[in-house]
Amino acid sequence: MAAESSKQFWKRSAKLPGSFIKERSKVNALPMKNKKASSFHEFARDTSDAWDIGDDEDEDFSSFQTLNSKVAKATAAQVLENHSRLRVKPEWPQAALSETPANCKVIKSSSDAQIFRTPEDVCTHNSLHKQQSLPLRPIIPLVARISDQNASGAPPMTVREKTRLEKFRQLLSSSNTDLDELRKCSWPGVPREVRPVTWRLLSGYLPASMERRKLTLQRKREEYFGFIEQYYDSRNEEHHQDTYRQIHIDIPRTNPLIPLFQQPLVQEIFERILFIWAIRHPASGYVQGINDLVTPFFVVFLSEYVEEDVENFDVTNLSQDVMRSIEADSFWCMSKLLDGIQDNYTFAQPGIQKKVKALEELVSRIDEQVHNHFREYEVEYLQFAFRWMNNLLMRELPLRCTIRLWDTYQSEPEGFSHFHLYVCAAFLIKWRKEILDEKDFQGLLMLLQNLPTIHWGNEEIGLLLAEAYRLKYMFADAPNHYRR
């Protein structure tokens, strides 16, 4: 009986799909009247019952025949007209192509752009469509932008910034650079134009004497490539295979949103730097997280030869000698940094364990409410602060902010170890309201592992460092400040 009823249903309804198309095809293609004011409402009214189909199999589909064919054709024609307009590529000014319009939404990745696209994003779509048809640089997500306030595309420097830049140039051009004065000037940030040579000096890689710098650079660069010739082939030996394999796995994960670090030549450079460092420091060897510490040095030394935005630059455009210099300088400056925090990466990472414990004690003194909130919901500091110490907050901040942060770290005595503790404390307390608003373990951990710093720049880092300095001034010289 059910089968017979089903046949009756299709018998009644069989004419509907075909007949509807045939009826439309019989209509002459005459110019349609313009019904801008009421066409949408009329169309909506005439089709409002189109999906009101009951579960009763005897339901008649005759309601479909109330569709106004003129309105439907008018709407279809309007859609086609809109699509044809989109096909015409507007002539955008060159300046507009290189930057994201202010009223467009910032996205974290291209996949987010597809998922969260809204009607207001049409400006992004049009400019991106134009960019894909021309050999221009792709749009980089905000989190991946490296440029600081003095980089290309930024507003012109203020009088104060020009004065600071001139002060740096005077210090750096003197026959014997005053390193104490250079540290004092670098604490609030180093101008992009002089950052490479300033970092070489502050890290201890270059001597203060001007006449010795050229010979020192030449000697150290030759020494590094001597290590390459001596040790790099051993990466395939059995006792080094595990080290090299782990490096090879970690390199593609380094700043995956920045095109610069996905270039094969750059990844080969990082592999050599990390492998040579690991076999020259057998007490620690390679540990995950050290790969992140190369990137700020590499970007800063690359910017010495690149005027445009570094994150998009194709390194194959540089000569081999230039790339060798960048590679060697990155290796030596990273080595100088790690010399001060190597206990972070030895067996069981005791340096990190001590720093996390110190952070816990410090926060309990600074903000007891936040500390007790963690205890109430059983959040251990090691669960979120381990990464802060292991990666020096590089996973929590955009790379442009890390570079600015390191200007100050290199100006501070024991900046990457001792001062970093106070920066982590200030960073944690910065989010106290958001922390106290979370009322469960999972929410707290999700917040602390995904803090919203995507929009941060030099101003936010400056405030963070000022608060860290205040905490250091208050607690560092107090012998009992870690003890209750």
Side-chain angles (χ1 to χ4, degrees):
M1 185 69 185
E4 184 179 348
S5 178
S6 179
K7 287 179 182 178
Q8 290 295 324
F9 167 75
W10 288 114
K11 187 175 181 180
R12 288 198 309 270
S13 307
K15 68 172 186 174
L16 208 59
S19 64
F20 180 65
I21 296 171
K22 288 176 183 177
E23 287 171 9
R24 289 184 58 190
S25 64
K26 292 176 184 178
V27 179
N28 294 330
L30 297 174
M32 292 169 291
K33 294 180 182 179
N34 190 6
K35 297 185 178 182
K36 289 183 180 179
S38 61
S39 61
F40 174 78
H41 298 289
E42 183 179 350
F43 180 76
R45 183 177 66 252
D46 290 341
T47 59
S48 61
D49 61 347
W51 301 108
D52 292 340
I53 300 172
D55 293 332
D56 187 354
E57 59 183 11
D58 292 331
E59 182 76 64
D60 194 350
F61 285 0
S62 60
S63 59
F64 263 27
Q65 297 180 9
T66 64
L67 182 67
N68 189 317
S69 61
K70 289 185 179 181
V71 175
K73 290 187 70 176
T75 306
Q78 185 65 40
V79 171
L80 291 173
E81 183 181 351
N82 290 341
H83 278 282
S84 64
R85 286 177 182 172
L86 287 175
R87 287 179 183 174
V88 180
K89 298 178 182 178
E91 293 298 323
W92 293 86
Q94 190 69 15
L97 292 174
S98 60
E99 44 187 57
T100 306
N103 62 338
C104 290
K105 193 170 66 174
V106 176
I107 59 174
K108 291 183 180 179
S109 66
S110 57
S111 59
D112 287 351
Q114 298 299 324
I115 296 170
F116 299 107
R117 192 168 177 182
T118 63
E120 290 78 16
D121 290 334
V122 72
C123 55
T124 303
H125 169 76
N126 288 343
S127 61
L128 183 57
H129 183 74
K130 181 70 175 176
Q131 282 188 319
Q132 289 172 342
S133 65
L134 295 173
L136 294 176
R137 296 180 306 225
I139 294 176
I140 300 298
L142 181 60
V143 71
R145 291 182 192 162
I146 301 172
S147 305
D148 62 13
Q149 80 275 21
N150 292 332
S152 59
M157 285 192 295
T158 63
V159 174
R160 180 176 178 274
E161 289 169 345
K162 289 180 180 178
T163 304
R164 290 190 71 242
L165 179 58
E166 187 58 34
K167 174 69 172 175
F168 271 95
R169 284 176 171 157
Q170 288 176 3
L171 281 168
L172 297 172
S173 61
S174 62
S175 58
N176 196 31
T177 301
D178 185 342
L179 293 180
D180 290 335
E181 186 64 24
L182 185 62
R183 290 189 186 95
K184 182 180 177 181
C185 292
S186 300
W187 206 100
V190 181
R192 181 179 188 266
E193 294 82 354
V194 293
R195 186 175 275 139
V197 64
T198 302
W199 277 28
R200 292 188 189 104
L201 285 164
L202 293 179
S203 66
Y205 174 44
L206 273 188
S209 173
M210 173 71 79
E211 62 181 17
R212 291 176 52 207
R213 289 178 196 169
K214 186 175 181 180
L215 289 175
T216 301
L217 278 177
Q218 182 179 346
R219 176 174 56 82
K220 297 296 284 185
R221 288 168 180 172
E222 289 175 356
E223 185 179 355
Y224 168 72
F225 284 101
F227 295 152
I228 295 291
E229 292 178 8
Q230 184 177 357
Y231 299 117
Y232 194 57
D233 286 341
S234 68
R235 68 189 184 279
N236 296 318
E237 296 177 5
E238 185 176 354
H239 57 291
H240 288 150
Q241 278 184 351
D242 289 343
T243 297
Y244 181 73
R245 185 185 300 112
Q246 189 60 58
I247 292 171
H248 190 72
I249 291 171
D250 288 348
I251 292 300
R253 301 171 181 170
T254 306
N255 296 104
L257 291 176
I258 302 180
L260 172 69
F261 299 116
Q262 303 311 308
Q263 298 178 37
L265 181 57
V266 174
Q267 294 186 354
E268 290 171 12
I269 288 171
F270 278 37
E271 284 183 2
R272 287 195 293 269
I273 290 173
L274 294 170
F275 182 76
I276 296 300
W277 187 88
I279 63 174
R280 293 189 73 244
H281 296 81
S284 62
Y286 173 75
V287 176
Q288 286 181 295
I290 295 179
N291 56 305
D292 288 329
L293 306 183
V294 185
T295 56
F297 292 114
F298 184 82
V299 165
V300 167
F301 297 140
L302 178 62
S303 69
E304 195 170 16
Y305 304 95
V306 179
E307 292 184 1
E308 58 190 281
D309 293 337
V310 175
E311 60 265 28
N312 284 316
F313 186 74
D314 183 358
V315 296
T316 59
N317 294 325
L318 295 177
S319 68
Q320 185 179 1
D321 288 343
V322 167
M323 292 307 299
R324 285 168 63 91
S325 298
I326 294 170
E327 180 177 346
D329 293 355
S330 299
F331 169 81
W332 286 115
C333 287
M334 185 197 74
S335 298
K336 293 286 187 181
L337 184 161
L338 288 170
D339 285 348
I341 57 172
Q342 192 171 351
D343 63 339
N344 284 8
Y345 305 105
T346 54
F347 178 73
Q349 299 182 270
I352 292 179
Q353 304 277 354
K354 291 176 184 176
K355 289 183 177 70
V356 171
K357 183 62 177 176
L359 177 65
E360 181 177 357
E361 296 292 337
L362 184 58
V363 172
S364 71
R365 303 281 297 192
I366 296 169
D367 196 324
E368 191 173 5
Q369 188 178 4
V370 168
H371 178 72
N372 290 336
H373 192 69
F374 286 152
R375 295 183 67 180
E376 180 182 354
Y377 294 103
E378 300 180 346
V379 174
E380 298 290 338
Y381 282 76
L382 202 62
Q383 291 168 331
F384 64 88
F386 181 89
R387 190 171 74 178
W388 296 10
M389 303 300 177
N390 189 60
N391 301 85
L392 300 178
L393 287 176
M394 287 193 65
R395 298 289 177 90
E396 276 56 53
L397 299 170
L399 184 53
R400 61 183 179 276
C401 294
T402 298
I403 292 172
R404 166 63 192 90
L405 189 66
W406 286 20
D407 287 343
T408 301
Y409 279 5
Q410 296 190 87
S411 308
E412 275 280 330
E414 300 179 322
F416 291 97
S417 54
H418 187 59
F419 187 63
H420 180 67
L421 171 67
Y422 296 95
V423 171
C424 288
F427 186 65
L428 181 63
I429 302 306
K430 166 77 173 69
W431 309 102
R432 76 180 308 275
K433 181 182 182 300
E434 290 82 357
I435 289 169
L436 296 175
D437 285 345
E438 294 291 343
K439 303 298 183 183
D440 61 79
F441 173 85
Q442 184 178 356
L444 280 166
L445 221 56
M446 288 291 290
L447 170 68
L448 292 166
Q449 292 178 351
N450 299 277
L451 292 166
T453 60
I454 183 176
H455 296 284
W456 276 33
N458 287 358
E459 183 178 352
E460 288 80 5
I461 294 298
L463 292 171
L464 178 69
L465 289 166
E467 178 62 16
Y469 186 81
R470 185 185 73 84
L471 295 176
K472 179 189 172 187
Y473 184 81
M474 290 176 63
F475 292 101
D477 295 327
N480 295 320
H481 82 285
Y482 285 148
R483 292 194 288 272
R484 290 179 177 275

